[in-house]
């Protein structure tokens, strides 16, 4: 990817004047002034949510602390994400935001002792490991600035990188953390989906920024480069015919789409989500991300959105035929 996605497909970089305007905007919504009654209601709702979270967290802590999940009926721990404490890591940012600092620092001590080479006897699902573990650790670092979280995020990301050792640098769905050997979720096959090749951009971009190691960002952006090069509608690809409507089914060895169905649901949703989020995270510099996002939104509006007779808005599948 030329300059890691900084150029659009016409070779253009961001317009400096447009960048200046975009950078003056804030992501956070500007709320209007509250009345005393509105503030009281908001505080009551926040307290109720925090109480519900603590109920769940204390149950997890009592019966399954450090486990991936808790079997709530049997009150026993479950290993579903390699035994590295998926629930705990995924909840780190929530603990901080809810000002549950004692629980947060206790969880931090657990994270510090994690050994990712002990994989719980399971293959690691690369997509899930990235969004839940790497993403959770990066969020905890951003909030607390405790370097343990950044070190662990980089450590785990490095163990995922061999999954990209394929002919075109497209990630396997699964990886054996111990051996570094990748595989499809369906044994003997090379199938994957849009989300599972395209949901690394955000975490890997931020990890490259924080570690000053461009490898992560470059590998995530190369996926987009290959996808575009191997599936140009102008080349007569029978499965990809509407620019911006990327089919869900994909072969990570050939780099080509293997089906026609495109939609925003599971298997595709986070690909589109990460295009625009990573563009914003890049301080509006990743022009290719913006271009792909804009093209996709326009295509979905034209082909995949409809209104019912009652006026409700629905999105659906697009066959692409």
């Amino acid at each position: 990817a030329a300059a890691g996605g900084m150029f659009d497909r016409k070779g253009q970089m961001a317009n400096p004047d447009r960048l200046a305007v975009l950078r003056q905007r804030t992501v956070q919504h500007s709320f209007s002034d509250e009345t005393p009654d509105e503030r009281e209601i908001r505080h009551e709702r926040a307290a109720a949510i925090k109480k519900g979270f603590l109920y769940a967290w204390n149950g997890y802590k009592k019966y399954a602390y450090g486990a991936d999940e808790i079997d709530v009926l049997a009150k026993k721990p479950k290993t579903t994400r390699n035994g590295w404490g998926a629930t705990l890591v995924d909840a780190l940012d929530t603990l901080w935001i809810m000002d549950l600092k004692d629980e947060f620092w206790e969880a931090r001590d657990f994270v510090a002792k994690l050994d990712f080479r002990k994989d719980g006897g399971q293959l690691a699902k690369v997509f899930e490991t990235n969004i839940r573990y790497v993403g959770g650790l990066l969020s905890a670092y951003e909030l607390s600035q405790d370097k343990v979280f950044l070190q662990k995020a980089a450590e785990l990301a490095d163990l995922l990188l061999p999954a990209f050792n394929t002919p075109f640098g497209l990630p396997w769905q699964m990886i054996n953390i111990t051996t570094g050997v990748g595989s499809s979720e369906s044994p003997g096959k090379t199938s994957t989906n849009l989300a599972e090749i395209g949901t690394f951009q955000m975490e890997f971009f931020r990890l490259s920024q924080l570690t000053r190691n461009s490898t992560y960002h470059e590998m995530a952006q190369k996926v987009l480069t290959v996808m575009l090069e191997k599936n140009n509608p102008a080349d007569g690809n029978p499965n990809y015919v509407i620019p911006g409507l990327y089919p869900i089914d994909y072969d990570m060895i050939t780099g080509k789409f293997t089906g026609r169905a495109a939609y925003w649901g599971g298997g595709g949703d986070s690909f589109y989500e990460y295009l625009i989020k990573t563009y914003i995270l890049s301080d509006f510099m990743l022009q290719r991300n913006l271009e792909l996002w804009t093209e996709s939104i326009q295509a979905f509006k034209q082909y995949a959105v409809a209104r019912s007779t009652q006026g409700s808005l629905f999105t659906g599948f697009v066959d692409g035929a």
Side-chain angles (χ1 to χ4, degrees):
M6 296 296 179
F7 295 100
D8 66 18
R9 285 174 289 180
K10 295 179 181 178
Q12 300 295 313
M13 294 192 74
N15 180 291
D17 293 334
R18 177 170 169 76
L19 282 177
V21 172
L22 289 171
R23 288 169 178 169
Q24 291 175 4
R25 299 178 180 178
T26 59
V27 175
Q28 178 63 53
H29 176 70
S30 180
F31 292 95
S32 59
D33 293 336
E34 292 178 306
T35 66
D37 287 344
E38 289 172 337
R39 187 178 299 108
E40 182 178 356
I41 291 172
R42 178 169 60 83
H43 287 170
E44 288 176 353
R45 290 172 175 172
I49 293 169
K50 185 174 181 178
K51 181 180 179 181
F53 175 86
L54 274 172
Y55 176 82
W57 180 260
N58 288 332
Y60 168 72
K61 183 176 180 179
K62 181 176 181 179
Y63 297 107
Y65 194 78
D68 293 334
E69 297 180 30
I70 178 174
D71 183 327
V72 294
L73 296 180
K75 297 181 181 178
K76 293 181 179 179
K78 293 172 62 177
T79 299
T80 56
R81 299 284 176 217
N82 301 100
W84 301 323
T87 290
L88 183 146
V89 174
D90 219 1
L92 287 168
D93 54 356
T94 302
L95 290 170
W96 183 276
I97 291 167
M98 287 187 171
D99 198 29
L100 298 171
K101 296 301 192 299
D102 290 342
E103 289 83 354
F104 178 88
W105 293 117
E106 183 180 19
R108 179 263 185 210
D109 292 341
F110 173 86
V111 168
K113 298 175 184 176
L114 277 174
D115 182 355
F116 292 123
R117 291 195 175 275
K118 296 179 179 179
D119 58 13
Q122 298 175 328
L123 296 177
K125 192 167 178 63
V126 182
F127 161 82
E128 294 284 353
T129 302
N130 176 61
I131 65 171
R132 303 193 186 285
Y133 284 115
V134 178
L137 292 167
L138 285 174
S139 294
Y141 172 72
E142 296 277 15
L143 291 166
S144 70
Q145 293 297 296
D146 189 307
K147 291 184 178 180
V148 163
F149 297 115
L150 178 58
Q151 292 165 356
K152 287 297 182 180
E155 178 185 325
L156 183 53
D158 288 343
L159 291 172
L160 296 179
L161 291 185
F164 292 78
N165 292 340
T166 58
F168 297 114
L170 303 172
W172 288 103
Q173 289 179 304
M174 314 297 291
I175 188 170
N176 184 315
I177 290 293
T178 303
T179 64
V181 175
S183 61
S184 175
E185 197 165 12
S186 302
K189 296 186 178 181
T190 58
S191 57
T192 185
N193 61 59
L194 187 65
E196 293 199 50
I197 64 165
T199 310
F200 295 89
Q201 297 175 50
M202 189 160 57
E203 290 86 357
F204 278 27
F205 177 84
R206 190 58 177 148
L207 195 55
S208 283
Q209 285 186 316
L210 294 171
T211 62
R212 300 183 182 275
N213 180 351
S214 64
T215 299
Y216 310 109
H217 171 61
E218 289 169 355
M219 294 185 80
Q221 284 292 319
K222 185 179 180 181
V223 170
L224 297 182
T225 300
V226 171
M227 185 191 77
L228 294 170
E229 288 179 348
K230 297 295 180 181
N231 298 277
N232 188 339
D235 294 338
N237 186 321
N239 292 320
Y240 179 48
V241 295
I242 304 175
L245 292 183
Y246 302 106
I248 297 296
D249 298 319
Y250 198 81
D251 187 288
M252 39 79 55
I253 296 298
T254 66
K256 292 185 177 294
F257 294 114
T258 57
R260 292 180 174 180
Y263 60 106
W264 278 342
D269 49 359
S270 54
F271 170 84
Y272 300 101
E273 170 195 346
Y274 272 43
L275 286 177
I276 193 63
K277 285 184 175 180
T278 309
Y279 168 67
I280 296 170
L281 184 62
S282 75
D283 205 17
F284 311 104
M285 291 296 293
L286 288 176
Q287 290 303 290
R288 186 172 61 176
N289 276 50
L290 175 63
E291 183 183 25
L292 298 182
W293 164 260
T294 302
E295 185 177 65
S296 294
I297 289 297
Q298 292 171 344
F300 269 103
K301 282 183 176 180
Q302 183 174 354
Y303 297 103
V305 176
R307 287 193 180 275
S308 69
T309 54
Q310 289 77 33
S312 299
L313 196 65
F314 290 91
T315 60
F317 286 78
V318 178
D319 189 313

